[in-house]
Coordinates of all heavy atoms in Angstrom, one line a residue:
C1 N 0.8 -1.2 0.0 CA 0.0 0.0 0.0 C 0.9 1.3 0.0 O 1.4 1.6 1.1 CB -0.9 0.0 1.2 SG -2.0 -1.4 1.3
P2 N 1.0 1.9 -1.1 CA 1.8 3.1 -1.2 C 1.1 4.2 -0.4 O -0.2 4.1 -0.2 CB 1.9 3.4 -2.7 CG 0.8 2.7 -3.3 CD 0.5 1.5 -2.4
P3 N 1.8 5.2 0.1 CA 1.1 6.2 0.8 C 0.1 6.9 0.0 O 0.2 7.1 -1.2 CB 2.3 7.2 1.2 CG 3.4 6.8 0.3 CD 3.2 5.4 -0.1
L4 N -1.0 7.3 0.6 CA -2.2 7.9 -0.1 C -1.9 9.4 -0.3 O -1.6 10.1 0.6 CB -3.4 7.7 0.7 CG -4.7 8.1 0.1 CD1 -5.0 7.3 -1.2 CD2 -5.9 7.9 1.1
S5 N -2.0 9.7 -1.6 CA -1.9 11.2 -1.9 C -3.2 11.6 -2.6 O -3.6 11.1 -3.7 CB -0.7 11.4 -2.8 OG -0.9 10.7 -4.0
L6 N -4.0 12.4 -1.9 CA -5.3 12.8 -2.5 C -5.1 14.0 -3.4 O -4.5 15.0 -3.1 CB -6.2 13.3 -1.3 CG -6.7 12.1 -0.4 CD1 -7.5 12.7 0.8 CD2 -7.5 11.1 -1.1
P7 N -5.6 13.8 -4.6 CA -5.5 14.9 -5.6 C -6.4 16.0 -5.3 O -7.4 15.9 -4.6 CB -5.8 14.2 -6.9 CG -6.6 13.0 -6.6 CD -6.2 12.6 -5.2
G8 N -6.1 17.1 -5.8 CA -6.8 18.4 -5.5 C -8.1 18.5 -6.4 O -9.1 19.0 -5.9
S9 N -8.1 18.0 -7.6 CA -9.3 18.2 -8.5 C -10.2 17.0 -8.4 O -9.9 16.0 -8.0 CB -8.9 18.4 -9.9 OG -8.4 17.2 -10.4
M10 N -11.5 17.3 -8.8 CA -12.5 16.3 -8.7 C -12.3 15.2 -9.7 O -12.5 14.0 -9.4 CB -13.9 17.0 -9.0 CG -15.0 16.1 -8.8 SD -15.1 15.5 -7.1 CE -16.8 15.8 -6.8
Q11 N -11.8 15.5 -10.9 CA -11.5 14.5 -12.0 C -10.5 13.5 -11.5 O -10.6 12.3 -11.7 CB -11.1 15.2 -13.3 CG -10.9 14.3 -14.5 CD -12.2 13.6 -14.9 OE1 -13.3 14.1 -14.7 NE2 -12.0 12.3 -15.3
E12 N -9.4 14.0 -10.9 CA -8.3 13.1 -10.4 C -8.8 12.2 -9.3 O -8.4 11.1 -9.2 CB -7.1 14.0 -10.0 CG -6.4 14.7 -11.1 CD -5.3 15.6 -10.5 OE1 -5.2 15.7 -9.3 OE2 -4.6 16.2 -11.4
L13 N -9.7 12.8 -8.5 CA -10.3 12.0 -7.4 C -11.1 10.8 -7.9 O -11.1 9.7 -7.4 CB -11.1 12.9 -6.5 CG -11.5 12.3 -5.1 CD1 -10.3 11.9 -4.3 CD2 -12.3 13.4 -4.4
Q14 N -11.9 11.1 -9.0 CA -12.7 10.1 -9.6 C -11.9 9.0 -10.3 O -12.2 7.8 -10.2 CB -13.7 10.7 -10.6 CG -14.8 11.5 -10.0 CD -15.7 12.1 -11.0 OE1 -15.4 12.2 -12.2 NE2 -16.9 12.6 -10.6
D15 N -10.8 9.4 -10.9 CA -9.9 8.5 -11.6 C -9.3 7.5 -10.5 O -9.1 6.3 -10.7 CB -8.8 9.2 -12.3 CG -9.3 9.9 -13.6 OD1 -10.4 9.5 -14.1 OD2 -8.6 10.8 -14.1
L16 N -8.9 8.1 -9.3 CA -8.3 7.4 -8.2 C -9.3 6.3 -7.7 O -9.0 5.2 -7.5 CB -7.9 8.3 -7.1 CG -7.3 7.6 -5.9 CD1 -6.0 6.9 -6.3 CD2 -7.1 8.6 -4.8
C17 N -10.6 6.8 -7.6 CA -11.7 5.8 -7.2 C -11.9 4.7 -8.2 O -12.0 3.5 -7.8 CB -13.0 6.6 -7.0 SG -13.0 7.6 -5.5
K18 N -11.8 5.0 -9.5 CA -12.0 4.0 -10.5 C -10.8 3.0 -10.4 O -11.1 1.8 -10.5 CB -12.0 4.6 -11.9 CG -13.4 5.3 -12.2 CD -13.4 5.9 -13.5 CE -14.6 6.7 -13.8 NZ -14.7 7.4 -15.1
K19 N -9.6 3.5 -10.2 CA -8.5 2.6 -10.1 C -8.6 1.7 -8.8 O -8.3 0.5 -8.9 CB -7.2 3.4 -10.0 CG -6.7 4.0 -11.2 CD -5.4 4.8 -11.0 CE -5.0 5.5 -12.2 NZ -3.8 6.3 -12.0
L20 N -9.1 2.3 -7.7 CA -9.2 1.5 -6.5 C -10.3 0.4 -6.7 O -10.2 -0.7 -6.2 CB -9.6 2.4 -5.3 CG -8.5 3.3 -4.8 CD1 -9.0 4.2 -3.7 CD2 -7.3 2.4 -4.3
H21 N -11.4 0.8 -7.4 CA -12.5 -0.2 -7.6 C -12.0 -1.3 -8.5 O -12.3 -2.5 -8.3 CB -13.7 0.5 -8.3 CG -14.6 1.2 -7.3 ND1 -15.4 0.5 -6.4 CD2 -14.8 2.5 -7.1 CE1 -16.0 1.4 -5.6 NE2 -15.7 2.6 -6.0
A22 N -11.2 -1.0 -9.5 CA -10.6 -2.1 -10.4 C -9.7 -3.0 -9.6 O -9.8 -4.2 -9.8 CB -9.8 -1.4 -11.5
K23 N -8.9 -2.4 -8.7 CA -8.0 -3.3 -7.9 C -8.9 -4.2 -6.9 O -8.6 -5.3 -6.7 CB -7.1 -2.4 -7.0 CG -5.9 -1.9 -7.8 CD -5.0 -1.2 -6.9 CE -3.8 -0.6 -7.7 NZ -2.8 0.1 -6.8
I24 N -10.0 -3.6 -6.4 CA -10.8 -4.4 -5.5 C -11.5 -5.5 -6.3 O -11.5 -6.6 -5.8 CB -11.9 -3.4 -4.9 CG1 -11.3 -2.5 -3.9 CG2 -13.0 -4.3 -4.2 CD1 -12.2 -1.4 -3.3
E25 N -11.9 -5.3 -7.5 CA -12.5 -6.3 -8.3 C -11.5 -7.4 -8.6 O -11.8 -8.6 -8.5 CB -13.1 -5.8 -9.6 CG -14.3 -5.0 -9.4 CD -14.8 -4.4 -10.8 OE1 -14.3 -4.8 -11.8 OE2 -15.7 -3.5 -10.7
S26 N -10.3 -7.1 -9.0 CA -9.3 -8.1 -9.3 C -8.9 -8.9 -8.0 O -8.8 -10.1 -8.1 CB -8.0 -7.5 -9.8 OG -7.4 -6.7 -8.9
V27 N -8.9 -8.2 -6.9 CA -8.6 -8.9 -5.6 C -9.7 -9.9 -5.3 O -9.5 -11.0 -4.8 CB -8.3 -7.9 -4.5 CG1 -8.3 -8.6 -3.1 CG2 -7.0 -7.2 -4.7

């Protein structure tokens, strides 16, 4: 688990959530 860096914009936050959901599905 790399350290969490929250992006400032909404679009980057949504991309981060999509990546996390993809990782959750693969796990």
